[in-house]
Amino acid sequence: MRIATLICGDFRSCPQTIEHIFKYVESIGSVDYYFATWTTTRDHWWPKDLSATTQRTVTQTDITTLFTGRNLVAYYQVDQAQIPSFDSTYYYQG
């Protein structure tokens, strides 16, 4: 069985969660991965003053390193500055 898997969200939690996702979907079949995240990430989201001090750029290497040895078909980075702010919603996931 071949599975297409889209992983999306803020990059900050990927290093802690991605192996669990890999283990689950790869137990089902062969996987084509697609990944979407922001161009920047922060170690903290709230409070905003602390959040701003931890902001950093998400690089191509950050993304491709997560998928070493796996079939990363495509990835996309969204520049959050180019879209309106919708705090506390799932708008960005959509």
Side-chain angles (χ1 to χ4, degrees):
M1 181 184 302
R2 190 147 199 92
I3 302 166
T5 302
L6 170 62
I7 301 171
C8 60
D10 195 331
F11 190 81
R12 75 177 177 269
S13 60
C14 283
Q16 294 83 22
T17 60
I18 198 89
E19 289 300 324
H20 299 288
I21 295 169
F22 291 156
K23 183 178 178 181
Y24 175 73
V25 296
E26 291 171 6
S27 72
I28 299 169
S30 298
V31 184
D32 294 329
Y33 290 102
Y34 299 83
F35 185 73
T37 193
W38 307 116
T39 55
T40 61
T41 191
R42 300 173 181 189
D43 293 330
H44 307 280
W45 190 249
W46 298 107
K48 285 192 174 188
D49 58 331
L50 176 59
S51 174
T53 65
T54 66
Q55 185 165 326
R56 65 183 182 286
T57 300
V58 177
T59 67
Q60 177 181 348
T61 302
D62 291 334
I63 295 168
T64 57
T65 299
L66 285 177
F67 291 89
T68 299
R70 292 182 164 85
N71 190 28
L72 178 61
V73 176
Y75 68 89
Y76 183 73
Q77 290 183 269
V78 178
D79 183 355
Q80 200 169 3
Q82 300 297 315
I83 55 178
S85 177
F86 294 98
D87 288 343
S88 302
T89 71
Y90 291 99
Y91 173 81
Y92 296 123
Q93 287 285 343

